[in-house]
DNA sequence: GAAAAAAGGTGATAAAACTCACTTTTTGGG
DNA sequence: CCCAAAAAGTGAGTTTTATCACCTTTTTTC
């Protein structure tokens, strides 16, 4: 049974770096032995920053935001994880508590893998541990990039960039050829970009003026990705 | 990297050990087999962003900045690595090019370990690969923290925080009891905080007014760490 | 140890971003 | 299908941050 077989949906998009892609059958079974599925409604919290991890989570359907909340309750989204991605494993590997929280951005189906099974799988499977090393290093790079982005780009440029990135993630929900709709609250978009909602809304209007995108209610349809990329790159 | 997860700066643990601490003798020998030492003068580049990695580096003496340079030549420091730390291994593990550059912040002694030796050591040594997984997860957490910091804190707060962090790193250069001198150019400090030199200088003067620190030329001596921590935490 | 170069420091001004108070539109449950 | 609640969107005023042009001090080099 391939990885595609054990999941509810068949047309998996694995161009993203899923840790589990092509994992040997026996390793996968080790990992999924005591797995249990759970449904999360939009906004529901999957795990909380600072909690001790009892296992890891595999997103089988939907999108999840990873975020941190500061003292004033303001939340900052670090990353949007998509279908096929594994989350919560940093805490287990670093033998520490969750560094961030995770919540469903939309209706989600998530598999829970107990701590012990994950640890066993990492110990037993050379492929998995090598894959994890690679993924972690890669994630690190991506995060380091965001860091410089935040530090040196204007809000306008950052929003442009995040729109491009987010659009890729929403592609998964649509047939090829169909226009991709980004369906994300302005507040979430703002905390992803690292600014206030008002700024996001304003710049979104500017982009609309400039013929870069259209909005249909909360939904955003990007019509000129190239222009956005140009803005993002200065 | 050396900072323990969760937010408030006063429970961060700065003295985490190197990846190599207590590594079994045979693993260490595997790693250090073809090692070669080199001296770097202040400002000299150890490796460049975008280059293909031919090995990794162990800092035996001195401090190294890891940074990225944007299109306009502006540089942003991601991390300051200290004596005992291993750098440049992300690129090898992610099988990609260097995501950032590294340069000596002061006179440095650095050991170069060839790519093949590192790969062999990771494959052969379970301790090393486990240690790397842990370190990487931890580094990820630290970086995620910086990200939220940049996103939600003012320049003043960010500078306060970085001063506290940097001070810890300069401790290794001084005897216990002796006042710790931060000996870092204002430009470097600015690109660590993510702002312009002028702002750093100005806020530094404010801090001096408020009795938080003293300057002796370029050197900064912090006299009231607690106050800085208070500012950093809002 | 003097001259040159590099780094540190200051003030004024412009631009970007944030905040608050408010209106309009969208959404989802009864 | 309607209504209340939530989310989106707008405008004005304030604060923060960036930039420029310049001077002063420190460091380096010969």
């Amino acid at each position: 049974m391939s990885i595609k077989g054990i999941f509810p949906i068949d047309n998996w998009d694995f161009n993203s770096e899923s840790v589990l892609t092509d994992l040997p059958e026996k390793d996968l079974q080790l990992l999924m032995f005591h797995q249990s599925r759970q449904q999360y409604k939009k906004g529901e919290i999957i795990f909380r920053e600072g909690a001790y991890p009892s296992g890891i989570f595999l997103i089988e359907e939907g999108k999840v935001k990873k975020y941190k909340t500061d003292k004033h309750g303001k939340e900052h989204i670090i990353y949007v994880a998509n279908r096929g991605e594994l989350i919560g494993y940093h805490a287990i590997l670093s033998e520490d508590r969750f560094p961030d929280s995770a919540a469903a951005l939309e209706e989600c189906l998530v598999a829970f893998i107990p701590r012990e099974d994950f640890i066993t799988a990492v110990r037993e499977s050379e492929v998995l541990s090598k894959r994890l090393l690679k993924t972690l290093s890669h994630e690190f790079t991506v995060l380091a990039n965001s860091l410089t982005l935040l530090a040196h780009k204007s809000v306008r440029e950052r929003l442009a960039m995040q729109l491009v990135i987010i659009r890729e993630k929403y592609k998964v929900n649509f047939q090829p050829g169909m226009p991709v709709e980004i369906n994300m609250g302005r507040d979430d978009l703002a905390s992803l970009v690292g600014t206030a909602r008002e700024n996001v809304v304003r710049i979104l209007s500017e982009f609309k003026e400039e013929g870069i995108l259209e909005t249909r209610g909360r939904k955003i349809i990007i019509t000129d990705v190239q222009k956005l990329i140009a803005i993002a790159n200065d």
Side-chain angles (χ1 to χ4, degrees), chain A:
Chain A
M1 190 167 52
S2 79
I3 187 167
K4 292 188 182 179
I6 69 166
F7 295 128
I9 303 287
D10 297 271
N11 66 341
W12 279 80
D13 155 54
F14 276 134
N15 57 21
S16 60
E17 315 73 30
S18 172
V19 182
L20 304 185
T21 319
D22 297 328
L23 203 68
E25 184 56 23
K26 63 170 175 50
D27 297 349
L28 203 60
Q29 276 182 350
L30 222 53
L31 202 60
M32 303 307 260
F33 193 37
H34 298 107
Q35 155 260 78
S36 63
R37 288 203 179 79
Q38 199 185 327
Q39 195 95 20
Y40 291 88
K41 285 191 292 245
K42 182 176 166 182
E44 275 192 301
I45 291 175
I46 300 170
F47 57 78
R48 272 218 167 71
E49 175 176 0
Y52 283 96
S54 60
I56 63 168
F57 301 84
L58 172 61
I59 307 170
E60 301 197 341
E61 193 52 60
K63 283 178 227 323
V64 170
K65 62 177 172 184
K66 293 182 70 186
Y67 62 98
K68 290 177 74 83
T69 313
D70 69 19
K71 287 218 180 42
H72 309 296
K74 228 189 216 162
E75 118 184 350
H76 181 244
I77 298 180
I78 294 165
Y79 182 70
V80 174
N82 215 342
R83 178 211 288 181
E85 291 191 69
L86 213 53
I87 59 174
Y89 63 92
H90 295 92
I92 306 266
L93 291 175
S94 66
E95 296 167 23
D96 210 335
R97 296 179 290 169
F98 286 121
D100 46 29
S101 308
L105 271 177
E106 53 192 38
E107 189 83 10
C108 279
L109 183 62
V110 177
F112 173 79
I113 297 162
R115 192 193 137 84
E116 298 313 323
D117 288 3
F118 178 61
I119 290 175
T120 305
V122 172
R123 192 182 43 231
E124 299 294 317
S125 166
E126 207 171 300
V127 180
L128 180 59
S129 70
K130 208 181 158 197
R131 193 73 64 78
L132 278 170
L133 273 177
K134 186 172 174 176
T135 304
L136 270 166
S137 307
H138 184 75
E139 285 181 10
F140 188 86
T141 301
V142 171
L143 204 61
N145 279 329
S146 325
L147 198 80
T148 45
L149 235 75
L150 264 179
H152 287 308
K153 300 238 178 221
S154 68
V155 170
R156 186 186 160 87
E157 290 161 348
R158 269 143 55 195
L159 178 57
M161 163 134 303
Q162 288 298 344
L163 283 174
V164 175
I165 295 172
I166 286 296
R167 181 173 179 275
E168 287 303 312
K169 311 211 170 184
Y170 276 91
K171 268 190 180 164
V172 150
N173 300 6
F174 297 88
Q175 307 302 323
M178 274 181 70
V180 178
E181 294 179 345
I182 297 173
N183 186 10
M184 196 180 217
R186 300 298 179 263
D187 276 306
D188 281 336
L189 212 43
S191 75
L192 188 60
V193 169
T195 186
R197 201 190 73 247
E198 292 95 318
N199 296 315
V200 168
V201 168
R202 254 185 273 274
I203 298 169
L204 238 30
S205 309
E206 288 174 28
F207 286 164
K208 203 151 55 166
E209 293 279 303
E210 298 168 37
I212 293 171
L213 52 80
E214 286 165 29
T215 56
R216 239 176 269 155
R218 65 144 35 169
K219 283 163 186 142
I220 300 170
I221 299 111
I222 297 173
T223 52
D224 193 340
V225 185
Q226 288 312 313
K227 239 181 207 166
L228 269 189
I229 292 175
I231 293 171
N233 288 328
D234 278 3

